[in-house]
Amino acid sequence: MAPTKHTSPPPAKEPAKKKPRVSEDQGKDSVLVAYEKWLRDRGVWWDESLVQLRSPLRPPQEGDNVPDFLLNEWGIMSLSKTIKKGTKIIKVPRRACVGEDLPALGEGDDTQKDIAELLLKEAAAGESSPLASKLATLKLSAPVPWAWGEEERKNLAGTELEEVVRVKLARLLEEHPKQQGFREYVDACAAVISHANPWFGVTVVPFVDMANHQDDEEGGPHVEFLEEDGHVVGTALRK
């Protein structure tokens, strides 16, 4: 009788490894991810096939059409050089605009008080503020002459701006008579006058506050923002 052969069972196959799912947010910094979520939660829309938000943490890449002075700032960047004229690329509802529920200013009023105080209050609240993700993208200062330091303002001596700045600072001191926090108040007002627009009263409008409003070498802006049915809509002006 022939001896029985004993054979080993074939080795078990290892289950196929699933490819890791690549998140659309992979490669983005956490501040940008949080801000985009904040925008979407408030109904803001932008055509992500044509434009994107640009974080200051994003390293410059070949093909970027970004002026050097904006490389370390937040901004909007086109993903296509051939956006058809008249294409709507951004739509911001009123509820996403900072300051939209504040009392309207009277005609000719020159004050940034209400929005500045709102920004300072929400900044002090930190992560608990409903504006935290927005404030993370907004510098609470701007280099306007009346926000310059005392030494810098000496350069205005004898110019037309000297009296303008003196009057403005006197008005700011009337609005915020306490010395404590006055510097922060001046900076917040400077941020408002630099970033706010006359929509829904006076508000800081997402995307608009990050747009490069300087004309390029071809002349004129690439995007026009107008109010339409309770939204601020950005439309391409030229290819």
Side-chain angles (χ1 to χ4, degrees), residues 6-35:
H6 296 278
T7 57
S8 301
K13 291 183 178 180
E14 292 185 9
K17 293 182 179 180
K18 292 182 178 180
K19 292 183 179 180
R21 184 179 177 182
V22 179
S23 166
E24 291 181 1
D25 293 332
Q26 189 169 328
K28 295 182 181 180
D29 65 84
S30 58
V31 177
L32 175 58
V33 171
Y35 182 51

Side-chain angles (χ1 to χ4, degrees), residues 145-146 153 156 160-173:
W146 42 266
R153 292 201 305 273
L156 300 176
E160 294 179 357
L161 278 177
E162 182 180 22
E163 179 63 10
V164 173
V165 168
R166 186 195 68 77
V167 171
K168 179 64 176 178
L169 285 173
R171 186 182 300 127
L172 292 173
L173 192 56

Side-chain angles (χ1 to χ4, degrees), residues 138-139 141-142 190-197 203-205 208-210:
L138 182 65
K139 289 182 180 179
S141 64
V192 172
I193 203 169
S194 175
H195 292 87
N197 292 97
T203 60
V204 177
V205 182
V208 180
D209 64 331
M210 293 182 179

